[in-house]
Amino acid sequence: MRPASRWASAAALALAAGCTCAPSRPPSDEALAEVRRRALYGKQAEAMETLERWAKAGDRGARRALGDVCAADADRSVQERAARWYRLAAEAGDAAAQRKLGRALRSGALGLAVDLQGARRWFAAAAGQGDAGAELSLGLMARNGEGAPRDAEAGARWLERAAGHGSAEAMFHLGNAFANGEGVPRDLQRAREWYEKAAERDWPAALQTLGMAYLGGDLGLPRDPVKADELLREAAHPHAQDDELSP
Amino acid sequence: MPSRSPSRFLFLPVALATLAACGEPAPPEGTTVEVTILATTDLHANVLSYDYFKLAENQTFGLERTATLVAKARTEFPNNVLVDDGDTIQGTVLGDYQAVVQPVSCDQPLAIHKVMNAMGYDVGNVGNHEFNYGLPYLSQVSNRDFHVADLAAPANCAGPSYPLVLSNVRSASGDAPIFEPYHLLSRTFEATAPDGSKRQVPFQVGVIGFTPPQVMTWDKRNLDGKVYATGIVDAANELVPEMRSAGADLVVALAHSGVDPSPSSPTMENASWYLSQVPGIDAMVLGHSHDVFPNPGVATSVFNTMPNVDNALGRINGVPAVMAASWGSRLGVIHFTLEYSRGGWHVIPEDTTVEARSTKNFDGTYVAPDPTVAPMVDTEHQATITYVRTPIGGTDFRMASWFAQVGDESALQVVNMAQQEYVRSAVQAGLPQYAALPVLSVTAPFKFGRGGATDYTDVASGPMAIFNAADLYLFANTVYAVKVTGSDLKGWLEKSAQQFKQIDPSNAAPQDLIDTTFPGYNFDVLYGDVTYEIDVTKAPGSRVMNLQYQGAPMSPAQEFIVATNNYRASGGGGFPGIDGTKTIIASPDTNRDVLIGYIKRNPNLTYAQHGSTQVWRFTRVTTAGPVVFRSGANQLAVAQAHGLTNISLSAQNTDGTSTYAIDLSQ
């Protein structure tokens, strides 16, 4: 087995790369991802310092990453700092930070008061950049009437946009919308297609919906206990995408 | 030629002999060798074809049957390497039993490792589920020193007799990968020289392991601050060239990761599409997403339409790849022919074949189990069955779902009580900001006759064992909690109340009460100092009446926490506003395990305390004709024992059901 020092020196190099960065030259995506992982999951003090240095030098990716690190902290006063870093990154046009700030404002997390209008504004900014998560949030807010009168049609339109940008969660909600005729005409065939698309992306609730449908022969599917078993087994296997892992 | 001393002549043959021993002379140009990778993945502790919750054989899975495929493939392909792609040790009651109930001792290998050792596996990868039981356990059962702070090295424990590889999880304190990142398997294979003669050649198969970096969030409680995961493609870019220079003749990536061609990110979960583009990888053994690849001729295969994926030949961006589903239902086979030229072995791409062989025969039967497997793990298997049958408590009442759709809560209340208690403690422990909110719970009759006239929950009074919990909680969901308002709850219950058809009180003809197209698993029944009525004479959406909390009308604005499962909390069933955004607790613990824990702590369940609460009832109405519904035959005694005295037997049907009438005026 190779000596541990080899890995330690690789780490030191990666961090040193940060030190030599002039404030005007942002870290590469890879360097940022590496340092973020070390800070967020390894809780390595050195990595946190590097991130903070990059963030203070104005790098929006580093600001968002530092927001992630602060948001994951058990200490609530540290969590509140996350909102400030997200806001700085969001104001600089970072779509993921705009979405994260929107979510915090929507639920009143990270020490922020609930601000549905503010949430919608940030979601709209991120959605303008094609951020699927923000489009999903806008869809659900429209459907639930959060911050504006309930508008199921608009909700379904946002969900379709989010699904088009790859959000499995939005595909699943669209399945529900077609199954229940919510903002779209009731259409079990299309409902099933959206559930299947979400299930292909391992969205657990979609897998379970289809599994249970095969148990009972719902959604126009044949009754098939073996297929049902298979899908329900898949549903129990966590695959859920987690945007917190994206740098 | 210069003259030599005799001694020097004498020395020469010795030197040649030494050379021949130290490094084999190169095979002649054009020599070919066939090398086959045999691969399992996502075995999930399914050693035998046995379902421990149903206490019954299930031939669709189990390593004992995959072993039969392995034996056959080995006779076809003598130059083979048997690999496993991870998610090996967790996923059945057997796995839980050995990890948690009766932890396996240091000197014993896990049952699945015992079998894999006997099968002669050459190397294994580490999947995300390997981390489920924590690092100390994983360190012990894999006999590996992780060099993680405060984690002692295992004392030479039993484990797999083959190396485990994983390149992208590192110790937070030491920065080194916690497993050997890759391994070079030095083998001697039979090759064929251009003249047709056979010869033995040394051959190095380099194998590298990867797991989804998402393991950091899925197993946060076990891993945070101790290890960190890096991107799969990053790790490959760093190490594959090193494997090549270390002398690997063939590089095989064991990626516990699926295939996702959408735009790359450094931390993507299913990174194999991008992994295939890392130069130097000859083959990929895939897993994690439990898919079958290649899966030619199957219209529903997700791989049919993926860019640069050949679902017939098993290629991703031209790289041979295989995924052998899960639970041992398939064996991946990648068969290479390599030719020796220019000082090295080169894969002949057109001679590479890939299959995911099924344990299911064409006639629908399954291959026989390898008879040597079951005896090897009989002790562990029997101990698990004994555990599943061991009484964990008892009940003085029958918990049955025959009438759960019309008001019998005997099979639901204990589930709700267990969920409520669990979420209450979780809020107290971790969510002080919600400590003042009341905690309610919902659950539904998962077994409601869909699968036939006896497809109902029915736990007899008397001792209760683990497997009874599966009868009370059919699905392998996890406990989630959502924060909602009184008005959300009203909408929630209205959705549940869509189970009923609208009853016309003036209609003298018999009317069906239950809309059988509405699945019973969406008939959520609320619990926790609440009461409500359902008025079936009203249209859907305006049926829930008199919703009270603590004996007073529930305020639409009042906030509550509701314990439920991940399916409902994330939008399953399409309940209004319950769409994932209200989730405040997403526990990794299954509702079933939470129920088991509750029964263990409350081993004497009584009807008075755990079964008799009637949270909801029908709004009283006199109907001109009978209101009827179907359930299993001859179960009236259950209804009467549980206080539903307004139900009577109306007719016996030929399909094993009875038609019952319910008098809504009582």
Side-chain angles (χ1 to χ4, degrees):
Chain A
M1 184 48 213
R2 66 203 68 258
S5 61
R6 174 175 174 264
W7 301 99
S9 63
L13 273 175
L15 291 171
C19 304
T20 57
C21 274
S24 57
R25 235 189 53 211
S28 70
D29 287 354
E30 290 75 20
L32 177 59
E34 171 75 16
V35 171
R36 176 182 177 274
R37 277 194 290 268
R38 289 166 180 278
L40 186 56
Y41 303 120
K43 313 277 182 225
Q44 294 179 344
E46 213 176 342
M48 292 193 204
E49 284 160 21
T50 305
L51 216 47
E52 203 164 336
R53 193 167 56 247
W54 286 343
K56 285 181 175 161
D59 183 72
R60 72 185 205 193
R63 287 177 167 178
R64 182 221 311 135
L66 195 55
D68 293 341
V69 173
C70 294
D73 201 280
D75 184 337
R76 296 192 75 196
S77 67
V78 177
Q79 286 176 21
E80 287 169 15
R81 296 217 299 268
R84 294 208 295 276
W85 286 116
Y86 284 150
R87 191 177 292 277
L88 285 170
E91 282 165 353
D94 185 277
Q98 291 168 342
R99 179 205 333 122
K100 288 168 192 234
L101 182 59
R103 290 198 175 157
L105 288 168
R106 183 181 177 198
S107 61
L110 307 178
L112 299 172
V114 172
D115 174 4
L116 297 178
Q117 298 308 329
R120 287 176 86 106
R121 274 197 303 277
W122 285 117
F123 286 143
Q129 303 187 59
D131 185 278
E135 290 165 342
L136 165 69
S137 292
L138 282 172
L140 297 176
M141 289 184 86
R143 215 165 72 152
N144 296 338
E146 292 174 54
R150 191 182 300 262
D151 185 343
E153 286 77 17
R157 280 196 300 275
W158 279 116
L159 290 178
E160 274 187 52
R161 278 182 60 170
H165 285 126
S167 164
E169 189 175 357
M171 295 172 194
F172 169 68
H173 289 306
L174 263 182
N176 283 340
F178 279 106
N180 297 325
E182 211 181 333
V184 288
R186 188 163 185 272
D187 184 340
L188 285 188
Q189 161 85 18
R190 294 192 68 185
R192 196 180 73 212
E193 284 166 11
W194 281 115
Y195 289 139
E196 281 167 352
K197 285 198 172 95
E200 275 171 20
R201 285 158 183 81
D202 299 317
W203 191 254
L207 289 161
Q208 185 160 352
T209 300
L210 288 171
M212 295 191 302
Y214 275 110
L215 270 187
D218 300 326
L219 295 173
L221 292 166
R223 192 172 289 201
D224 184 344
V226 174
K227 183 86 187 154
D229 221 44
E230 229 174 82
L231 285 158
L232 291 169
R233 190 198 297 165
E234 288 310 304
H237 187 255
H239 289 302
Q241 289 84 348
D242 184 344
D243 65 17
E244 296 310 311
L245 270 163
S246 312
Chain B
M1 176 187 262
S3 69
R4 296 167 195 277
S5 70
S7 65
R8 193 145 179 199
F9 274 108
L10 280 174
F11 188 70
L12 192 61
V14 179
L16 275 176
T18 310
L19 259 177
C22 285
E24 299 276 347
E29 291 276 310
T31 298
T32 58
V33 65
E34 294 180 31
V35 178
T36 304
I37 311 299
L38 305 176
T40 54
T41 191
D42 295 86
L43 293 171
H44 282 287
N46 287 280
V47 182
L48 303 180
S49 303
Y50 192 82
D51 183 330
Y52 292 96
F53 275 116
K54 293 184 178 146
L55 290 170
E57 184 188 51
N58 186 331
Q59 300 189 357
T60 65
F61 54 76
L63 181 58
E64 61 174 336
R65 284 170 208 273
T66 343
T68 302
L69 298 184
V70 170
K72 179 171 172 292
R74 277 177 166 157
T75 62
E76 286 171 68
F77 309 114
N79 297 335
N80 62 70
V81 170
L82 177 59
V83 305
D84 177 69
D85 196 29
D87 275 10
T88 313
I89 67 172
Q90 174 279 347
T92 60
V93 185
L94 169 66
D96 288 345
Y97 179 81
Q98 293 204 290
V100 181
V101 182
Q102 194 60 257
V104 67
S105 60
C106 167
D107 61 348
Q108 280 295 311
L110 287 173
I112 194 150
H113 284 156
K114 220 188 242 186
V115 174
M116 293 170 82
N117 289 345
M119 286 172 67
Y121 271 83
D122 292 284
V123 64
N125 183 23
V126 178
N128 52 293
H129 279 286
E130 260 67 70
F131 294 93
N132 288 169
Y133 302 120
L135 288 172
Y137 179 78
L138 183 57
S139 168
Q140 180 202 315
V141 301
S142 48
N143 189 33
R144 173 84 190 169
D145 181 359
F146 291 156
H147 295 287
V148 165
D150 304 323
L151 179 60
N156 198 21
C157 292
S161 55
Y162 49 87
L164 293 175
V165 289
L166 179 63
S167 65
N168 69 321
V169 175
R170 299 186 194 171
S171 164
S173 44
D175 271 324
I178 61 171
F179 284 92
E180 190 181 359
Y182 63 82
H183 191 90
L184 300 187
L185 299 163
S186 297
R187 296 290 183 265
T188 302
F189 288 148
E190 186 178 84
T192 308
D195 64 4
S197 65
K198 303 288 181 193
R199 57 191 294 152
Q200 300 293 312
V201 296
F203 195 94
Q204 298 229 71
V205 182
V207 187
I208 179 169
F210 306 98
T211 213
Q214 279 68 11
V215 68
M216 292 309 307
T217 46
W218 295 331
D219 269 306
K220 190 175 164 63
R221 61 181 169 178
N222 291 324
L223 304 183
D224 225 17
K226 297 175 184 137
V227 300
Y228 66 96
T230 64
I232 290 175
V233 173
D234 289 350
N237 275 323
E238 182 184 352
L239 293 171
V240 170
E242 193 178 299
M243 295 169 74
R244 283 285 175 196
S245 23
D249 294 307
L250 190 72
V251 170
V252 180
L254 301 186
H256 187 81
S257 182
V259 188
D260 179 358
S262 59
S264 161
S265 86
T267 47
M268 74 195 290
E269 175 185 354
N270 293 308
S272 304
W273 197 90
Y274 287 94
L275 182 64
S276 68
Q277 296 177 324
V278 173
I281 292 177
D282 294 303
M284 301 192 300
V285 169
L286 309 179
H288 182 57
S289 60
H290 294 195
D291 290 313
V292 178
F293 183 77
N295 203 2
V298 173
T300 54
S301 171
V302 295
F303 300 108
N304 288 337
T305 54
M306 266 188 206
N308 293 331
V309 171
D310 187 329
N311 198 20
L313 295 181
R315 302 287 197 280
I316 299 174
N317 292 308
V319 177
V322 77
M323 185 158 10
S326 63
W327 294 29
S329 64
R330 298 257 176 169
L331 176 70
V333 179
I334 305 180
H335 177 71
F336 289 102
T337 303
L338 299 99
E339 188 178 57
Y340 194 83
S341 66
R342 306 182 311 279
W345 291 105
H346 300 279
V347 171
I348 305 174
E350 60 272 25
D351 287 350
T352 305
T353 58
V354 185
E355 318 162 60
R357 297 183 173 181
S358 178
T359 56
K360 191 177 187 178
N361 299 314
F362 286 111
D363 63 2
T365 62
Y366 291 85
V367 299
D370 178 330
T372 64
V373 171
M376 245 183 275
V377 295
D378 192 54
T379 310
E380 295 88 338
H381 176 60
Q382 296 304 337
T384 305
I385 290 177
T386 305
Y387 162 68
V388 172
R389 287 193 161 135
T390 305
I392 52 170
T395 166
D396 75 353
F397 65 104
R398 194 170 161 191
M399 302 171 166
S401 68
W402 306 100
F403 299 96
Q405 291 172 283
V406 294
D408 180 8
E409 294 168 38
S410 66
L412 306 179
Q413 187 180 336
V414 71
V415 173
N416 271 330
M417 291 175 87
Q419 292 177 172
Q420 182 191 44
E421 184 186 274
Y422 178 91
V423 167
R424 235 179 224 157
S425 325
V427 170
Q428 276 161 17
L431 297 167
Q433 66 271 38
Y434 302 133
L437 299 186
V439 177
L440 313 178
S441 175
V442 293
T443 192
F446 300 122
K447 294 172 82 174
F448 57 101
R450 263 294 168 77
T454 58
D455 181 29
Y456 289 87
T457 300
D458 198 346
V459 178
S461 63
M464 291 179 76
I466 301 277
F467 73 93
N468 293 132
D471 197 16
L472 286 165
Y473 208 100
L474 183 64
F475 298 115
N477 284 115
T478 48
V479 176
Y480 273 42
V482 294
K483 183 165 79 74
V484 297
T485 61
S487 122
D488 293 328
L489 271 177
K490 168 83 162 45
W492 192 326
L493 296 173
E494 286 290 357
K495 174 79 187 179
S496 294
Q498 289 179 18
Q499 174 187 252
F500 301 107
K501 292 191 169 182
Q502 190 168 357
I503 299 298
D504 174 1
S506 65
N507 188 342
Q511 297 181 73
D512 283 325
L513 177 62
I514 294 173
D515 176 354
T516 53
T517 66
F518 184 97
Y521 51 74
N522 282 337
F523 183 62
D524 274 354
V525 172
L526 188 59
Y527 176 82
D529 218 352
V530 287
T531 52
Y532 55 98
E533 293 176 10
I534 295 175
D535 186 343
V536 290
T537 66
K538 300 283 197 301
S542 50
R543 292 173 165 176
V544 174
M545 313 303 235
N546 210 8
L547 176 56
Q548 299 199 337
Y549 173 65
Q550 292 186 328
M554 186 183 282
S555 147
Q558 186 176 355
E559 289 190 313
F560 296 91
I561 292 168
V562 181
T564 177
N565 62 29
N566 62 314
Y567 168 75
R568 180 73 73 244
S570 54
F575 283 58
I578 310 304
D579 53 18
T581 55
K582 295 185 170 64
T583 301
I584 57 163
I585 294 171
S587 150
D589 295 323
T590 63
N591 300 67
R592 206 184 266 169
D593 282 343
V594 164
L595 173 63
I596 290 167
Y598 181 85
I599 297 170
K600 283 181 173 168
R601 287 190 304 280
N602 302 274
N604 299 307
L605 301 179
T606 63
Y607 181 63
Q609 223 188 323
H610 303 97
S612 61
T613 305
Q614 202 182 2
V615 173
W616 75 276
R617 52 162 299 128
F618 290 110
T619 300
R620 289 197 176 93
V621 58
T622 303
T623 57
V627 173
V628 297
F629 64 94
R630 283 187 181 213
S631 182
N634 303 317
Q635 299 297 344
L636 196 57
V638 183
Q640 285 167 347
H642 295 162
L644 299 178
T645 52
N646 56 344
I647 294 173
S648 58
L649 183 64
S650 171
Q652 297 286 19
N653 307 310
T654 54
D655 61 355
T657 65
S658 291
T659 298
Y660 298 91
I662 182 164
D663 181 351
L664 294 175
S665 71
Q666 289 184 33

